[in-house]
Amino acid sequence: GAGVSQSPRYKVAKRGQDVALRCDPISGHVSLFWYQQALGQGPEFLTYFQNEAQLDKSGLPSDRFFAERPEGSVSTLKIQRTQQEDSAVYLCASSLVLYPTSYNEQFFGPGTRLTVL
Amino acid sequence: GIQVEQSPPDLILQEGANSTLRCNFSDSVNNLQWFHQNPWGQLINLFYIPSGTKQNGRLSATTVATERYSLLYISSSQTTDSGVYFCAVLKAAGNKLTFGGGTRVLVKP
């Protein structure tokens, strides 16, 4: 497709379950980002990949959160033993260029809305 | 980290009115983007504007990097302009976008 796609669009999990969220970036985009958006707030950075290398995971809120991009294209964000505070929209973004360069516009997918009961 | 503040937090407009949204940031940046988040949650790219002025239809944006602010202008607003407008910046030599709190716009017919 032409844009960033994410699946599932909605996920309901019982507290303690593990979930996996998928992101398909724009074809050819080297950089991939995950953000978390709580209700009524702006998105917040979780982690960043350049190809298959995870270069920054400073935003991951706990060791229950794990992200991978093994072949440098599709990425999966995994949350283990989900808690109610994990309820949020998880956004994926991709960007064409390598950092640091002058052009680095990020394009976002539609997000996955996670509700933990 | 870098701080991003948007104002006003909420804006109610009559259809056809003009408005200005502001974004202030606390440090040097090499990327600034404006987004519109529609009611379905999709972030739509409006402008990539680390400096200067750009126009796209009824929307235009200006970033004055030396004074650390950006403005988004909406002219002749329409009901479809409703939603949340976010400013996001990327710090020089950084990789992650830092978002402001957003401006929630409601355009009434």
Side-chain angles (χ1 to χ4, degrees):
Chain A
V4 179
S5 61
Q6 293 185 244
S7 60
R9 292 294 313 278
Y10 303 91
K11 178 69 179 178
V12 178
K14 293 182 179 179
R15 188 168 50 185
Q17 284 184 331
D18 298 347
V19 299
L21 313 180
R22 177 188 171 104
C23 172
D24 284 83
I26 295 172
S27 178
H29 278 200
V30 170
S31 299
L32 185 146
F33 306 82
W34 284 98
Y35 293 83
Q36 180 190 57
Q37 186 174 21
L39 189 64
Q41 299 183 18
E44 293 189 351
F45 172 81
L46 294 177
T47 187
Y48 155 60
F49 290 85
Q50 183 174 295
N51 294 306
E52 69 278 2
Q54 188 175 20
L55 299 186
D56 186 346
K57 53 182 180 179
S58 61
L60 296 177
S62 78
D63 59 7
R64 297 185 295 103
F65 286 70
F66 172 77
E68 61 183 4
R69 194 186 184 197
E71 299 179 357
S73 56
V74 171
S75 176
T76 303
L77 176 66
K78 297 180 179 178
I79 308 173
Q80 297 177 326
R81 305 181 303 282
T82 52
Q83 303 295 314
Q84 285 187 325
E85 61 263 29
D86 300 335
S87 295
V89 175
Y90 291 86
L91 295 165
C92 176
S94 69
S95 177
L96 179 60
V97 297
L98 298 174
Y99 289 90
T101 58
S102 59
Y103 176 71
N104 46 27
E105 186 173 6
Q106 294 185 24
F107 296 86
F108 283 77
T112 295
R113 182 177 298 277
L114 173 65
T115 302
V116 181
L117 303 177
Chain B
I2 193 168
Q3 305 298 314
V4 183
E5 294 186 356
Q6 292 186 240
S7 60
D10 296 281
L11 190 59
I12 299 175
L13 300 171
Q14 203 64 37
E15 195 170 28
N18 303 327
S19 63
T20 301
L21 283 59
R22 187 176 179 102
C23 172
N24 292 333
F25 44 95
S26 62
D27 205 344
S28 300
V29 300
N30 69 9
N31 173 10
L32 188 145
Q33 293 184 239
W34 282 98
F35 298 91
H36 176 213
Q37 190 163 44
N38 65 22
W40 296 271
Q42 175 73 56
L43 279 169
I44 299 166
N45 289 41
L46 298 178
F47 294 101
Y48 171 83
I49 186 166
S51 64
T53 297
K54 291 185 177 180
Q55 181 158 6
N56 184 2
R58 296 181 295 102
L59 302 181
S60 63
T62 295
T63 297
V64 184
T66 54
E67 297 187 19
R68 299 180 182 172
Y69 73 89
S70 184
L71 302 174
L72 178 69
Y73 306 95
I74 305 174
S75 64
S76 303
S77 58
Q78 300 177 358
T79 56
T80 52
D81 295 332
S82 297
V84 184
Y85 290 80
F86 286 105
C87 164
V89 303
L90 192 148
K91 191 176 176 181
N95 52 61
K96 61 185 180 183
L97 285 176
T98 299
F99 283 76
T103 293
R104 288 152 188 78
V105 174
L106 175 63
V107 181
K108 294 186 173 181

